[in-house]
Structures are given as C-alpha cells and as structure tokens.
Amino acid sequence: MTTDKTSTAVVNPEAAQGADTVVDPRLLVREQGLGGYLTEFKRKMRGGDLGSIPVIIGLIIICVVFQSLNSEFLSAKNISDIAVTMVATGMMAVGIIFVLLLGEIDLSVGSVSGVSGAVVAVLSVTHGMNEWLAILVAIVSGAVIGAIHGFFFARIGAPAFAVTLAGLLFWLGFMLQLLGDTGTINLDSDGVVGSLTTYYFSDVAAAYGLAAVAVIAYFLSAFLDTRRREAAGIPSRPLVDIVIRTVVLTVFAFGAAFMFNQYRGLPLALVLFLIVLVGTDFVLRRTSYGRKIFALGGSVEASRRAGINVTAIRVSVFAIAGTFAAIGGLFWASKIAAANQGSGAGDLLMNVIAAAVIGGTSLFGGRGRTWNALLGVMVIVSIQYGLALEGIATPINYMITGAVLLITVVIDSITRKTQKTAGRA
C-alpha cells in the first residue's frame, strides 16, 4: 500500500509540487530512470540542498584558471606537494567539523596543535623518550585539553567561543613555556614524526593498489547496502547507478595514482588522511554516536527529551577536536622538522575553520561530513600554491581566501533560508 502511494507521487511529480514531499532519489532513479536524477536535482535546488556542488565547481575553476596561467600547476610534483601540505590542516579540520555539527566553534585548535609539536620535541629530543611513546602522549594531551574545554562548555555552561578563546591564549603560553628560551627544537627528519610528510611509497603498485582497494570497497559497500535495502523493502539504487558512480571514482582514483607515480610515489601523509576520513565518516553516518551528534546540532532540547546525554556528547566532541588538533600539529612539526614559537600561529586557525566551512559543513550545525575537510582544504591549498607559482604576495592570498570563505558562508546562509521556505529546516 505504501509503495503504491510513493510510486504515484514519483510518476506524477507535477501533482505534488505544492507539497513539501521529500522523495528518495533512489526511488526516482528506479522508477523514472536517468530522468529521475533531473527531477531530484531540480527538487534539491528549489529546496536549497546544494551539497558539494559549489565547492566542486570551485575546484574545477581553480584548476582551469591556474593551469592556464602556469602549466606547472597540474604537474605531478605540484599535485604531490599539495596532497602532502593539505594533510596537517585537513586533519585539524576533521576535528572542527565535529564541533561545527553541534553548531559551536573551537578557537583553540591552532594553539593545541602547537602544544602537540612541542610535547613531542621536548619528550623525544630533550628527554630522550621513545618517539612512539612521545607521540602517544602528545595525542592524549590534545584529547585531554579538548575534554577540559568541553567540560567548561557543557557542564559549567560557559560559551564555547569564550572557553576556546581563553584556551587559545593559555595553550599558546604553555607551548612557549615548554619550548624554553631557545624557542625552537629541531626534530630528526628520519624519525617517526619526520617521516609523516617525507615518506613515499615509491613502488607504483602502492598507488594503483590503493586506488583499486578504494574502488572495490566502494562498489561492494554500495552493492551490499542496496541488497540490504531491497531485502527490507526500502527504496534502493539500481545496479546501473552504482556502476556509473564506480566508474567515475575509478577514473579519479587511478588518475591520481598515475600522477603520484610520475613524481615520488604515494605519500604516506595522504594515506593516513584518507584512513582518518573513512573512519570518521563511518562514525558519523553509521553509528548511534554519530546520529546523536547530528541530533544535537538540530535541536538540543529535542535531543535531551529523546534521552541523549547532551553533556557527555558535547565533552566527547571537543575531546575529538583536541585529538585531531594534536594530530595535525604532528604533521606540521614534520613539515618543518621542528617545533618552534610559530607553531599553530599565523593563519592556521583561519584556514582550518575555512576548510571545514568551504568544504560544505554548515556553521549553524546539523549538516556536514568529514569528507568536507578534504574538499575544503584542497580549495585553500590549491589557491595558495597557484598564487605562489605566480609569485603573488601573501596579502593577496589572505584576501582571496577570505573572499572565498565569505562567499561560502553567504551560500550557507541563503541555503538555510531557502530550506526554511521549503519547510525542510
């Protein structure tokens, strides 16, 4: 009975234009074929559901513009350098996305990343501690710092903005205290931390192998999900749809693998970043914990009435942000092979937040995915490298990045208003 009603709504979309009916795109494709995509696309545009379309278009424009200005922009070396450089900011942006999903902000991540680098340098270099153990201490320290911020916000009731702003200043001073009078501690470039951004899998099979694993994993995941939905009588994507998506992913994955193999091979940093993205995406979309985070971003009171432990979720989310800030700090320390007074300072905080927002995470909470960190940081770092190739000064870089961020926020605000008008927010 339910299927018949749904089918009628899909076959006669004109009759439902006056209603706020949300039709499953998989059902549209199954019953209307490829034309269903167009119907669903139009519905999303009317409802303000732009998804990742703006940032993908932006990336294409960036590549076209800078490649036309300098043929080295899409060279294997430049692409590899962009891939490695973006990981530190991207790791930190993953943590920020968790906080943004709550509709909050964490201004301390830059300073926490600096503390992480300083802790590793002091413990492993100054005190001779095993580097792996020093890394563990640094990451745990980031988690504890984040949990402290979360406690003052969730339990005491202080605004997250004020708490993390105080954290920014406090942990900056703490980092300077750790580094001592010299202000700089050099790291072993061949050590564990040093290898994070300098190690490459030079065997061509590594890059192509990872591409193959990604494609196969995606296909199997989508196929099995479809089988489960069909068994439960829930609308699902047809096989042809899955195949088309898999083919598109294959082109991009093997194209990237080919470019990496033209230079030094597959960067370890990128592999670790992709593992983090897959893992955190699974947590947010496939676990009850992730659903609770989205629920809190939608309505705190409704979540509380549903039995969600609001305080525990909030504290854990800020702990996650601190953890990824610490991990990002290790990658920054690896990039410069040192921990110094400039760690975590400058435009790092701006870039981290901008990466999350530009990638598609809403500042208003309740909407976003950790993959947004990848898209956003690709935009930011691509702009930086493109301008550097043209010899354009840093002030222009700041201005362009700020303009892109403003445009993204404006789009996000317009999207929310459009969704409210359509009755979907």
Side-chain angles (χ1 to χ4, degrees):
M1 192 70 172
T2 303
T3 305
D4 293 338
K5 290 181 179 179
T6 306
S7 300
T8 302
V10 174
V11 176
N12 302 290
E14 295 82 8
Q17 286 182 353
D20 296 326
T21 303
V22 179
V23 184
D24 193 312
R26 288 164 290 209
L27 189 59
L28 282 169
V29 173
R30 187 176 69 181
E31 298 199 1
Q32 294 186 358
L34 294 179
Y37 276 120
L38 181 59
T39 302
E40 174 64 7
F41 178 77
K42 290 179 179 179
R43 185 192 67 79
K44 286 185 175 182
M45 293 301 101
R46 289 196 300 269
D49 188 4
L50 301 178
S52 299
I53 294 177
V55 68
I56 292 176
I57 293 176
L59 275 172
I60 294 174
I61 293 174
I62 289 170
C63 291
V64 171
V65 170
F66 284 122
Q67 179 66 15
S68 65
L69 294 175
N70 193 316
S71 60
E72 290 297 312
F73 182 76
L74 291 180
S75 66
K77 179 182 183 305
N78 200 54
I79 290 177
S80 181
D81 289 344
I82 289 175
V84 172
T85 301
M86 72 181 187
V87 171
T89 303
M91 286 288 193
M92 298 170 67
V94 169
I96 279 291
I97 286 173
F98 276 79
V99 177
L100 290 178
L101 287 175
L102 294 181
E104 301 297 338
I105 194 66
D106 188 343
L107 301 178
S108 68
V109 291
S111 295
V112 175
S113 71
V115 169
S116 172
V119 167
V120 167
V122 169
L123 292 180
S124 63
V125 177
T126 306
H127 297 290
M129 179 182 287
N130 177 274
E131 194 170 6
W132 282 105
L133 182 57
I135 290 172
L136 178 61
V137 172
I139 294 175
V140 172
S141 298
V144 171
I145 291 172
I148 292 173
H149 295 160
F151 171 80
F152 281 105
F153 163 60
R155 177 64 69 178
I156 306 301
F161 177 89
V163 171
T164 56
L165 178 60
L168 181 155
L169 298 173
F170 181 87
W171 301 116
L172 175 60
F174 183 72
M175 178 194 71
L176 297 177
Q177 185 68 28
L178 283 178
L179 293 175
D181 296 333
T182 61
T184 299
I185 300 177
N186 294 323
L187 297 171
D188 181 5
S189 58
D190 295 324
V192 179
V193 174
S195 298
L196 289 176
T197 57
T198 59
Y199 185 83
Y200 292 77
F201 298 97
S202 56
D203 191 331
V204 296
Y208 289 127
L210 179 61
V213 168
V215 170
I216 294 172
Y218 172 79
F219 177 80
L220 290 178
S221 175
F223 179 74
L224 294 176
D225 182 63
T226 295
R227 294 292 296 272
R228 286 193 297 268
R229 296 179 70 90
E230 289 177 348
I234 303 174
S236 58
R237 295 190 184 279
L239 181 60
V240 63
D241 176 38
I242 297 175
V243 170
I244 292 175
R245 290 169 179 265
T246 303
V247 169
V248 173
L249 176 61
T250 300
V251 172
F252 280 100
F254 279 89
F258 174 78
M259 294 300 291
F260 288 136
N261 284 332
Q262 299 306 301
Y263 182 51
R264 298 177 60 183
L266 179 65
L268 171 64
L270 181 62
V271 175
L272 296 175
F273 187 34
L274 293 177
I275 291 174
V276 164
L277 290 175
V278 172
T280 52
D281 182 67
F282 177 84
V283 169
L284 284 177
R285 297 196 305 117
R286 300 290 185 178
T287 67
S288 60
Y289 175 74
R291 289 189 287 271
K292 290 174 182 178
I293 293 175
F294 281 105
L296 276 177
S299 173
V300 175
E301 186 57 34
S303 299
R304 184 178 287 108
R305 293 183 179 182
I308 295 176
N309 189 331
V310 175
T311 299
I313 296 297
R314 283 174 162 175
V315 171
S316 65
V317 164
F318 275 88
I320 289 172
T323 300
F324 282 106
I327 294 174
L330 296 179
F331 279 89
W332 277 119
S334 173
K335 187 69 177 176
I336 63 176
N340 59 35
Q341 295 178 340
S343 299
D347 61 348
L348 178 58
L349 175 62
M350 179 197 72
N351 286 338
V352 170
I353 297 175
V357 177
I358 290 173
T361 303
S362 175
L363 281 170
F364 302 98
R367 190 179 77 245
R369 294 181 60 180
T370 50
W371 287 98
N372 296 149
L374 174 62
L375 293 173
V377 77
M378 284 176 63
V379 169
I380 292 174
V381 178
S382 295
I383 291 174
Q384 292 174 345
Y385 271 72
L387 294 176
L389 286 175
E390 293 303 303
I392 297 176
T394 301
I396 303 299
N397 183 7
Y398 287 160
M399 294 166 64
I400 293 177
T401 304
V404 172
L405 177 58
L406 177 61
I407 292 172
T408 304
V409 173
V410 169
I411 291 175
D412 185 29
S413 299
I414 294 175
T415 295
R416 283 181 59 84
K417 290 181 180 179
T418 305
Q419 289 178 338
K420 286 182 179 179
T421 302
R424 299 181 58 201

